[in-house]
Amino acid sequence: MKLQRILLLLGTSITIASLGISGCTTNTRDFEADAQTPTVTSPTTTAQRRPDVPYVPTPQPVVDAMLQLAQVNSNDVIYDLGSGDGRIPITAAQRYGARGVGIDINPERVQEANANLQKSGVGNRIEFRQQDLFQTDLSNASVVTLYLLPDVNLKLRPKLLQELRPGTRIVSHAFDMGEWKPQQVQQVNGSTIYLWVVPENVPQNLRQ
Ligand SMILES: C[S@@+](CC[C@H](N)C(=O)[O-])C[C@H]1O[C@@H](n2cnc3c(N)ncnc32)[C@H](O)[C@@H]1O
Protein backbone atom coordinates (compact mmCIF):
# COMPACT_ATOMS: atom_id res chain seq x y z
CA MET A 1 0.00 0.00 0.00
CA LYS A 2 1.20 3.50 -0.77
CA LEU A 3 2.03 6.25 1.69
CA GLN A 4 -1.11 8.06 0.61
CA ARG A 5 -3.42 5.18 1.52
CA ILE A 6 -1.63 4.71 4.80
CA LEU A 7 -2.31 8.37 5.53
CA LEU A 8 -5.94 8.12 4.55
CA LEU A 9 -6.40 5.22 6.92
CA LEU A 10 -4.54 6.65 9.81
CA GLY A 11 -4.52 10.39 9.36
CA THR A 12 -0.99 11.66 9.69
CA SER A 13 -0.11 9.04 12.27
CA ILE A 14 1.89 6.31 10.54
CA THR A 15 2.44 3.36 12.81
CA ILE A 16 4.67 0.36 12.49
CA ALA A 17 1.51 -1.78 12.52
CA SER A 18 0.02 0.05 9.54
CA LEU A 19 3.05 -0.64 7.38
CA GLY A 20 3.01 -4.29 8.38
CA ILE A 21 -0.68 -4.73 7.57
CA SER A 22 -0.39 -2.76 4.35
CA GLY A 23 1.83 -5.26 2.66
CA CYS A 24 4.17 -2.61 1.29
CA THR A 25 7.71 -3.73 0.65
CA THR A 26 8.93 -2.24 3.92
CA ASN A 27 8.51 -4.81 6.66
CA THR A 28 8.18 -4.02 10.33
CA ARG A 29 11.85 -4.66 10.97
CA ASP A 30 12.85 -2.19 8.26
CA PHE A 31 10.55 0.45 9.59
CA GLU A 32 11.81 -0.03 13.11
CA ALA A 33 15.30 0.49 11.76
CA ASP A 34 14.10 3.61 9.93
CA ALA A 35 12.39 4.96 12.98
CA GLN A 36 15.36 4.63 15.27
CA THR A 37 17.95 7.31 15.55
CA PRO A 38 20.73 6.17 13.22
CA THR A 39 23.81 5.08 15.14
CA VAL A 40 26.24 4.63 12.25
CA THR A 41 28.44 7.63 11.66
CA SER A 42 30.33 8.59 8.54
CA PRO A 43 32.26 11.65 7.41
CA THR A 44 29.24 12.80 5.39
CA THR A 45 26.78 12.43 8.26
CA THR A 46 25.09 15.73 9.00
CA ALA A 47 22.17 14.41 10.99
CA GLN A 48 21.51 11.84 13.63
CA ARG A 49 17.80 11.94 14.03
CA ARG A 50 14.64 10.08 13.24
CA PRO A 51 13.52 10.09 9.58
CA ASP A 52 10.54 12.34 8.78
CA VAL A 53 9.09 9.70 6.42
CA PRO A 54 9.21 5.87 6.45
CA TYR A 55 10.77 4.03 3.54
CA VAL A 56 8.26 3.05 0.86
CA PRO A 57 9.76 2.74 -2.64
CA THR A 58 8.18 4.32 -5.71
CA PRO A 59 7.12 1.57 -8.18
CA GLN A 60 9.33 1.54 -11.29
CA PRO A 61 6.54 2.57 -13.74
CA VAL A 62 5.89 5.61 -11.55
CA VAL A 63 9.63 6.41 -11.43
CA ASP A 64 9.68 6.28 -15.24
CA ALA A 65 6.65 8.58 -15.49
CA MET A 66 8.14 11.07 -12.98
CA LEU A 67 11.33 11.36 -15.06
CA GLN A 68 9.32 11.78 -18.26
CA LEU A 69 7.11 14.43 -16.67
CA ALA A 70 10.23 16.39 -15.65
CA GLN A 71 11.67 15.90 -19.16
CA VAL A 72 14.99 14.79 -17.67
CA ASN A 73 17.92 14.95 -20.08
CA SER A 74 21.69 14.53 -20.08
CA ASN A 75 22.28 18.14 -18.94
CA ASP A 76 20.30 17.63 -15.74
CA VAL A 77 21.45 17.20 -12.18
CA ILE A 78 18.68 15.41 -10.34
CA TYR A 79 18.34 15.47 -6.54
CA ASP A 80 16.11 12.84 -4.94
CA LEU A 81 15.33 14.07 -1.43
CA GLY A 82 14.84 10.92 0.65
CA SER A 83 16.38 8.62 -1.94
CA GLY A 84 15.69 5.19 -0.41
CA ASP A 85 17.30 2.46 -2.51
CA GLY A 86 18.41 5.02 -5.11
CA ARG A 87 16.14 3.93 -7.93
CA ILE A 88 15.14 7.43 -9.09
CA PRO A 89 18.62 8.93 -9.68
CA ILE A 90 19.97 5.59 -10.95
CA THR A 91 17.16 5.36 -13.52
CA ALA A 92 17.71 9.01 -14.54
CA ALA A 93 21.38 8.27 -15.26
CA GLN A 94 20.70 4.97 -17.04
CA ARG A 95 17.85 6.20 -19.27
CA TYR A 96 18.76 9.85 -19.84
CA GLY A 97 22.45 10.21 -19.00
CA ALA A 98 21.66 12.65 -16.19
CA ARG A 99 23.89 13.18 -13.18
CA GLY A 100 22.36 12.91 -9.76
CA VAL A 101 22.55 13.07 -6.00
CA GLY A 102 20.48 10.98 -3.61
CA ILE A 103 20.02 12.23 -0.06
CA ASP A 104 18.82 9.94 2.72
CA ILE A 105 19.04 10.34 6.46
CA ASN A 106 19.06 6.60 7.08
CA PRO A 107 22.50 4.99 6.72
CA GLU A 108 20.95 1.64 5.80
CA ARG A 109 19.21 3.21 2.81
CA VAL A 110 22.43 4.88 1.69
CA GLN A 111 24.26 1.55 1.93
CA GLU A 112 21.53 -0.14 -0.11
CA ALA A 113 21.56 2.65 -2.72
CA ASN A 114 25.34 2.40 -3.03
CA ALA A 115 25.09 -1.37 -3.50
CA ASN A 116 22.53 -0.80 -6.28
CA LEU A 117 24.72 1.90 -7.79
CA GLN A 118 27.67 -0.48 -7.97
CA LYS A 119 25.60 -2.86 -10.10
CA SER A 120 24.05 -0.11 -12.24
CA GLY A 121 26.88 0.82 -14.59
CA VAL A 122 26.33 4.55 -13.90
CA GLY A 123 28.44 4.83 -10.76
CA ASN A 124 30.38 7.77 -12.13
CA ARG A 125 27.24 9.90 -12.56
CA ILE A 126 25.51 9.46 -9.20
CA GLU A 127 26.40 10.09 -5.57
CA PHE A 128 24.47 9.11 -2.44
CA ARG A 129 24.86 11.13 0.75
CA GLN A 130 23.69 10.38 4.22
CA GLN A 131 22.20 13.75 5.11
CA ASP A 132 19.10 15.44 6.43
CA LEU A 133 17.33 16.81 3.36
CA PHE A 134 16.52 19.96 5.32
CA GLN A 135 20.26 20.58 5.75
CA THR A 136 21.20 19.87 2.12
CA ASP A 137 22.31 22.63 -0.27
CA LEU A 138 19.97 22.28 -3.25
CA SER A 139 21.41 25.02 -5.44
CA ASN A 140 23.07 22.62 -7.93
CA ALA A 141 19.86 20.75 -8.77
CA SER A 142 18.02 21.23 -12.06
CA VAL A 143 15.41 18.57 -11.17
CA VAL A 144 14.19 17.58 -7.68
CA THR A 145 12.15 14.47 -6.97
CA LEU A 146 10.12 13.83 -3.82
CA TYR A 147 8.15 11.02 -2.25
CA LEU A 148 7.66 12.40 1.21
CA LEU A 149 4.50 13.36 3.11
CA PRO A 150 2.14 16.35 2.83
CA ASP A 151 3.45 18.16 5.90
CA VAL A 152 7.08 17.47 4.91
CA ASN A 153 6.44 18.88 1.40
CA LEU A 154 4.96 22.02 2.98
CA LYS A 155 7.87 22.41 5.37
CA LEU A 156 10.29 21.98 2.44
CA ARG A 157 8.53 24.41 0.08
CA PRO A 158 10.23 27.65 1.23
CA LYS A 159 13.66 25.99 1.01
CA LEU A 160 12.95 24.74 -2.52
CA LEU A 161 11.78 28.18 -3.63
CA GLN A 162 14.71 29.93 -1.98
CA GLU A 163 17.58 27.67 -3.11
CA LEU A 164 16.54 26.32 -6.51
CA ARG A 165 17.18 28.33 -9.66
CA PRO A 166 14.21 29.55 -11.71
CA GLY A 167 13.27 26.88 -14.23
CA THR A 168 14.18 23.97 -11.93
CA ARG A 169 11.56 21.22 -12.18
CA ILE A 170 10.16 19.51 -9.09
CA VAL A 171 8.22 16.26 -9.33
CA SER A 172 6.41 14.77 -6.36
CA HIS A 173 4.92 11.32 -6.05
CA ALA A 174 1.53 11.32 -4.32
CA PHE A 175 1.63 14.64 -2.44
CA ASP A 176 1.12 18.24 -3.49
CA MET A 177 2.49 21.54 -2.16
CA GLY A 178 -0.64 23.15 -0.76
CA GLU A 179 -1.17 26.65 -2.14
CA TRP A 180 1.59 26.23 -4.75
CA LYS A 181 -0.46 24.80 -7.60
CA PRO A 182 1.28 22.30 -9.91
CA GLN A 183 1.76 22.96 -13.63
CA GLN A 184 0.83 19.37 -14.44
CA VAL A 185 -0.80 16.45 -12.65
CA GLN A 186 -0.76 12.90 -14.02
CA GLN A 187 -2.20 9.57 -12.97
CA VAL A 188 0.11 6.57 -13.35
CA ASN A 189 -0.84 3.05 -12.29
CA GLY A 190 -3.14 4.45 -9.59
CA SER A 191 -0.57 6.99 -8.34
CA THR A 192 -0.72 10.75 -8.76
CA ILE A 193 2.40 12.67 -9.76
CA TYR A 194 2.79 16.46 -9.73
CA LEU A 195 5.10 18.84 -11.62
CA TRP A 196 6.11 22.36 -10.62
CA VAL A 197 8.63 24.71 -12.25
CA VAL A 198 10.38 27.22 -9.97
CA PRO A 199 9.26 30.72 -11.06
CA GLU A 200 11.46 33.83 -11.51
CA ASN A 201 9.43 35.72 -8.94
CA VAL A 202 8.21 33.73 -5.98
CA PRO A 203 4.89 35.01 -4.59
CA GLN A 204 5.14 36.14 -0.97
CA ASN A 205 2.54 33.60 0.23
CA LEU A 206 4.73 30.68 -0.96
CA ARG A 207 7.88 31.85 0.81
CA GLN A 208 6.82 30.46 4.15
C1 LIG B 1 8.85 7.20 0.93
S1 LIG B 1 10.60 6.89 0.87
C2 LIG B 1 10.97 7.37 -0.83
C3 LIG B 1 12.19 6.65 -1.39
C4 LIG B 1 12.54 7.02 -2.84
N1 LIG B 1 12.62 8.46 -3.04
C5 LIG B 1 11.51 6.47 -3.78
O1 LIG B 1 10.63 7.25 -4.20
O2 LIG B 1 11.55 5.26 -4.08
C6 LIG B 1 11.20 8.27 1.85
C7 LIG B 1 12.69 8.24 2.18
O3 LIG B 1 13.01 9.47 2.83
C8 LIG B 1 14.01 9.23 3.81
N2 LIG B 1 13.96 10.34 4.76
C9 LIG B 1 13.03 10.60 5.69
N3 LIG B 1 13.30 11.74 6.34
C10 LIG B 1 14.43 12.25 5.79
C11 LIG B 1 15.20 13.42 6.02
N4 LIG B 1 14.88 14.33 6.94
N5 LIG B 1 16.31 13.61 5.27
C12 LIG B 1 16.67 12.70 4.32
N6 LIG B 1 15.98 11.57 4.07
C13 LIG B 1 14.86 11.34 4.78
C14 LIG B 1 13.63 7.88 4.39
O4 LIG B 1 14.73 7.25 5.02
C15 LIG B 1 13.13 7.13 3.13
O5 LIG B 1 14.16 6.38 2.54
Side-chain angles (χ1 to χ4, degrees):
M1 188 181 287
K2 298 172 207 151
L3 276 173
Q4 198 171 27
R5 289 211 192 110
I6 294 166
L7 276 184
L8 281 174
L9 285 173
L10 298 174
T12 52
S13 168
I14 296 179
T15 64
I16 292 166
S18 74
L19 288 170
I21 291 163
S22 70
C24 72
T25 58
T26 300
N27 63 28
T28 303
R29 268 182 93 102
D30 287 342
F31 182 63
E32 279 169 352
D34 279 348
Q36 285 166 8
T37 303
T39 52
V40 178
T41 56
S42 78
T44 54
T45 299
T46 60
Q48 296 285 301
R49 68 175 183 83
R50 193 188 165 97
D52 296 293
V53 185
Y55 175 52
V56 181
T58 295
Q60 191 63 44
V62 181
V63 171
D64 297 343
M66 290 170 78
L67 298 176
Q68 271 174 21
L69 187 60
Q71 298 190 335
V72 171
N73 64 67
S74 59
N75 295 321
D76 279 319
V77 179
I78 180 168
Y79 274 54
D80 187 25
L81 303 183
S83 47
D85 69 0
R87 63 184 60 196
I88 294 180
I90 289 174
T91 305
Q94 287 174 327
R95 298 252 167 100
Y96 301 106
R99 285 174 295 134
V101 178
I103 303 294
D104 208 291
I105 202 166
N106 186 329
E108 285 185 38
R109 297 281 87 79
V110 175
Q111 245 174 24
E112 195 181 345
N114 276 324
N116 290 335
L117 184 61
Q118 274 198 338
K119 295 178 258 168
S120 70
V122 290
N124 57 340
R125 305 195 71 73
I126 304 292
E127 177 194 346
F128 292 106
R129 300 182 193 152
Q130 188 203 333
Q131 276 181 355
D132 180 350
L133 62 90
F134 286 104
Q135 304 298 325
T136 298
D137 175 1
L138 305 177
S139 56
N140 280 336
S142 59
V143 174
V144 171
T145 52
L146 309 172
Y147 185 22
L148 299 170
L149 284 170
D151 60 321
V152 182
N153 274 8
L154 286 186
K155 189 175 162 198
L156 188 59
R157 192 177 73 190
K159 179 174 168 64
L160 294 170
L161 285 166
Q162 197 176 344
E163 293 182 16
L164 297 174
R165 284 164 290 171
T168 302
R169 294 92 81 203
I170 301 168
V171 181
S172 172
H173 176 190
F175 304 113
D176 67 15
M177 296 261 192
E179 282 176 293
W180 188 15
K181 297 303 168 206
Q183 296 204 347
Q184 283 190 59
V185 181
Q186 261 183 26
Q187 302 296 324
V188 191
N189 286 12
S191 293
T192 306
I193 57 176
Y194 301 86
L195 171 75
W196 296 262
V197 179
V198 175
E200 280 290 342
N201 299 308
V202 177
Q204 188 61 40
N205 64 320
L206 302 181
R207 292 181 195 201
Q208 49 221 349

Coordinates of all heavy atoms in Angstrom, one line a residue, residues 3 34 49-58 63 80-85 87-88 103-106 109 131-134 146-148 173, ligand 1:
L3 N 2.0 5.3 0.6 CA 2.0 6.2 1.7 C 0.7 6.9 1.8 O 0.2 7.1 2.9 CB 3.1 7.3 1.5 CG 4.5 7.0 1.9 CD1 5.5 8.1 1.5 CD2 4.6 6.8 3.4
D34 N 14.2 2.2 10.4 CA 14.1 3.6 9.9 C 13.8 4.6 11.1 O 14.2 5.7 11.1 CB 12.9 3.7 8.9 CG 13.4 3.2 7.5 OD1 14.6 3.1 7.3 OD2 12.5 3.1 6.7
R49 N 19.1 11.9 13.5 CA 17.8 11.9 14.0 C 16.8 11.0 13.3 O 17.2 10.5 12.2 CB 17.3 13.4 14.1 CG 17.1 14.0 12.7 CD 16.5 15.4 12.8 NE 16.1 16.0 11.5 CZ 15.0 15.7 10.9 NH1 14.1 14.9 11.3 NH2 14.8 16.3 9.7
R50 N 15.7 10.9 13.8 CA 14.6 10.1 13.2 C 14.2 10.6 11.9 O 14.0 11.8 11.7 CB 13.5 10.2 14.2 CG 12.4 9.2 14.1 CD 11.3 9.7 15.1 NE 10.0 9.1 14.8 CZ 9.6 8.0 15.5 NH1 10.3 7.5 16.5 NH2 8.5 7.4 15.1
P51 N 14.0 9.7 10.9 CA 13.5 10.1 9.6 C 12.1 10.7 9.7 O 11.3 10.4 10.5 CB 13.4 8.8 8.8 CG 14.4 7.8 9.5 CD 14.3 8.2 10.9
D52 N 11.8 11.7 8.8 CA 10.5 12.3 8.8 C 9.5 11.5 8.1 O 8.3 11.7 8.2 CB 10.6 13.7 8.0 CG 11.5 14.6 8.8 OD1 11.2 15.1 9.9 OD2 12.6 14.9 8.2
V53 N 10.0 10.5 7.3 CA 9.1 9.7 6.4 C 9.6 8.3 6.4 O 10.8 8.1 6.3 CB 9.1 10.2 5.0 CG1 8.2 9.5 4.1 CG2 8.9 11.7 4.9
P54 N 8.7 7.3 6.5 CA 9.2 5.9 6.5 C 9.6 5.5 5.0 O 9.2 6.2 4.1 CB 8.0 5.0 6.9 CG 6.8 5.9 6.6 CD 7.3 7.3 6.7
Y55 N 10.3 4.4 4.9 CA 10.8 4.0 3.5 C 9.7 3.2 2.8 O 9.3 2.2 3.3 CB 12.0 3.2 3.6 CG 12.5 2.6 2.3 CD1 12.6 3.5 1.2 CD2 12.7 1.3 2.1 CE1 13.0 3.0 0.0 CE2 13.1 0.8 0.9 CZ 13.2 1.6 -0.2 OH 13.5 1.1 -1.4
V56 N 9.2 3.8 1.8 CA 8.3 3.0 0.9 C 8.8 3.4 -0.6 O 8.7 4.6 -0.9 CB 6.8 3.5 1.0 CG1 5.9 2.7 0.1 CG2 6.3 3.4 2.5
P57 N 9.2 2.4 -1.3 CA 9.8 2.7 -2.6 C 8.7 3.1 -3.7 O 7.6 2.6 -3.6 CB 10.5 1.4 -3.1 CG 9.8 0.4 -2.3 CD 9.3 1.0 -1.0
T58 N 9.0 4.0 -4.6 CA 8.2 4.3 -5.7 C 8.2 3.2 -6.7 O 9.3 2.8 -7.1 CB 8.7 5.6 -6.4 OG1 8.5 6.7 -5.5 CG2 7.9 5.9 -7.6
V63 N 8.3 5.8 -11.3 CA 9.6 6.4 -11.4 C 9.8 6.9 -12.9 O 10.1 8.0 -13.2 CB 10.8 5.4 -11.1 CG1 12.1 6.0 -11.4 CG2 10.7 5.0 -9.6
D80 N 17.3 13.5 -5.5 CA 16.1 12.8 -4.9 C 16.2 13.0 -3.4 O 17.2 12.5 -2.8 CB 16.1 11.3 -5.3 CG 14.8 10.6 -4.8 OD1 13.8 11.3 -4.7 OD2 14.9 9.4 -4.7
L81 N 15.3 13.7 -2.9 CA 15.3 14.1 -1.4 C 14.6 13.0 -0.6 O 13.4 12.9 -0.7 CB 14.7 15.5 -1.2 CG 15.4 16.6 -2.0 CD1 14.8 17.9 -1.6 CD2 16.9 16.6 -1.8
G82 N 15.4 12.1 0.0 CA 14.8 10.9 0.7 C 14.9 9.8 -0.4 O 13.9 9.4 -1.0
S83 N 16.1 9.4 -0.7 CA 16.4 8.6 -1.9 C 16.2 7.1 -1.8 O 16.3 6.4 -2.8 CB 17.8 9.0 -2.5 OG 18.7 8.9 -1.5
G84 N 16.0 6.6 -0.6 CA 15.7 5.2 -0.4 C 16.8 4.3 -1.0 O 18.0 4.5 -0.8
D85 N 16.3 3.4 -1.9 CA 17.3 2.5 -2.5 C 18.0 3.1 -3.8 O 18.7 2.4 -4.5 CB 16.6 1.1 -2.8 CG 15.6 1.2 -4.0 OD1 15.4 2.3 -4.5 OD2 15.0 0.2 -4.3
R87 N 16.7 4.3 -6.6 CA 16.1 3.9 -7.9 C 15.9 5.2 -8.8 O 16.0 5.1 -10.0 CB 14.9 3.1 -7.8 CG 13.7 3.8 -7.1 CD 12.5 2.8 -6.9 NE 12.8 1.7 -6.1 CZ 12.1 0.6 -6.1 NH1 11.0 0.5 -6.8 NH2 12.4 -0.4 -5.3
I88 N 15.5 6.3 -8.2 CA 15.1 7.4 -9.1 C 16.4 8.0 -9.7 O 16.5 8.1 -11.0 CB 14.3 8.5 -8.3 CG1 12.9 7.9 -7.9 CG2 14.1 9.8 -9.1 CD1 12.0 8.8 -7.2
I103 N 19.8 11.8 -1.5 CA 20.0 12.2 -0.1 C 19.1 11.4 0.8 O 17.9 11.3 0.6 CB 19.6 13.7 0.1 CG1 20.3 14.6 -0.8 CG2 19.7 14.1 1.6 CD1 21.8 14.7 -0.6
D104 N 19.7 10.7 1.8 CA 18.8 9.9 2.7 C 19.4 10.0 4.1 O 20.7 9.9 4.3 CB 18.6 8.5 2.3 CG 17.3 7.9 2.8 OD1 17.2 7.8 4.1 OD2 16.4 7.7 2.0
I105 N 18.6 10.2 5.1 CA 19.0 10.3 6.5 C 19.4 9.0 7.1 O 20.1 8.9 8.1 CB 17.9 11.1 7.3 CG1 18.6 11.7 8.5 CG2 16.8 10.1 7.6 CD1 17.6 12.7 9.2
N106 N 18.9 7.9 6.5 CA 19.1 6.6 7.1 C 20.3 5.9 6.5 O 20.3 5.6 5.3 CB 17.8 5.8 6.8 CG 17.8 4.4 7.6 OD1 18.9 3.9 7.8 ND2 16.7 3.9 7.9
R109 N 19.7 2.9 4.2 CA 19.2 3.2 2.8 C 20.4 3.6 1.9 O 20.4 3.3 0.7 CB 18.2 4.3 2.9 CG 16.9 4.0 3.6 CD 15.9 3.1 2.8 NE 16.2 1.7 2.9 CZ 15.9 0.9 4.0 NH1 15.2 1.4 5.0 NH2 16.2 -0.4 4.0
Q131 N 22.4 12.4 4.6 CA 22.2 13.8 5.1 C 20.7 14.0 5.4 O 19.9 13.3 4.9 CB 22.5 14.8 4.0 CG 24.0 15.1 3.9 CD 24.3 16.2 2.8 OE1 23.4 16.5 2.0 NE2 25.5 16.6 2.7
D132 N 20.5 15.0 6.2 CA 19.1 15.4 6.4 C 18.8 16.3 5.2 O 19.5 17.3 5.0 CB 19.1 16.2 7.7 CG 17.7 16.8 8.0 OD1 16.8 16.7 7.2 OD2 17.5 17.3 9.2
L133 N 17.7 16.0 4.6 CA 17.3 16.8 3.4 C 17.1 18.3 3.7 O 17.3 19.1 2.8 CB 16.1 16.2 2.6 CG 14.8 16.1 3.4 CD1 13.9 17.3 3.2 CD2 14.0 14.9 2.9
F134 N 16.7 18.6 4.9 CA 16.5 20.0 5.3 C 17.8 20.7 5.5 O 17.8 21.9 5.6 CB 15.7 20.0 6.6 CG 14.2 19.7 6.3 CD1 13.7 18.5 6.7 CD2 13.4 20.6 5.7 CE1 12.4 18.2 6.4 CE2 12.1 20.3 5.4 CZ 11.6 19.1 5.8
L146 N 10.6 14.0 -5.2 CA 10.1 13.8 -3.8 C 9.1 12.7 -3.7 O 8.3 12.5 -4.6 CB 9.4 15.1 -3.4 CG 10.1 16.5 -3.6 CD1 9.1 17.6 -3.2 CD2 11.3 16.6 -2.7
Y147 N 9.3 11.9 -2.7 CA 8.1 11.0 -2.2 C 8.2 11.1 -0.7 O 8.8 10.2 -0.1 CB 8.3 9.6 -2.8 CG 7.2 8.6 -2.5 CD1 5.9 9.1 -2.2 CD2 7.4 7.3 -2.5 CE1 4.9 8.2 -2.0 CE2 6.4 6.4 -2.3 CZ 5.1 6.8 -2.0 OH 4.1 6.0 -1.8
L148 N 7.6 12.1 -0.2 CA 7.7 12.4 1.2 C 6.3 12.3 1.8 O 5.6 11.3 1.6 CB 8.3 13.8 1.4 CG 9.8 13.8 0.8 CD1 10.3 15.3 0.8 CD2 10.7 12.9 1.6
H173 N 5.8 12.5 -6.0 CA 4.9 11.3 -6.0 C 3.9 11.4 -4.9 O 4.3 11.6 -3.7 CB 5.8 10.1 -5.9 CG 5.0 8.8 -5.8 ND1 5.6 7.6 -5.5 CD2 3.7 8.5 -6.0 CE1 4.7 6.6 -5.5 NE2 3.6 7.1 -5.8
Ligands
LIG1 C1 8.8 7.2 0.9 S1 10.6 6.9 0.9 C2 11.0 7.4 -0.8 C3 12.2 6.7 -1.4 C4 12.5 7.0 -2.8 N1 12.6 8.5 -3.0 C5 11.5 6.5 -3.8 O1 10.6 7.3 -4.2 O2 11.5 5.3 -4.1 C6 11.2 8.3 1.9 C7 12.7 8.2 2.2 O3 13.0 9.5 2.8 C8 14.0 9.2 3.8 N2 14.0 10.3 4.8 C9 13.0 10.6 5.7 N3 13.3 11.7 6.3 C10 14.4 12.2 5.8 C11 15.2 13.4 6.0 N4 14.9 14.3 6.9 N5 16.3 13.6 5.3 C12 16.7 12.7 4.3 N6 16.0 11.6 4.1 C13 14.9 11.3 4.8 C14 13.6 7.9 4.4 O4 14.7 7.2 5.0 C15 13.1 7.1 3.1 O5 14.2 6.4 2.5

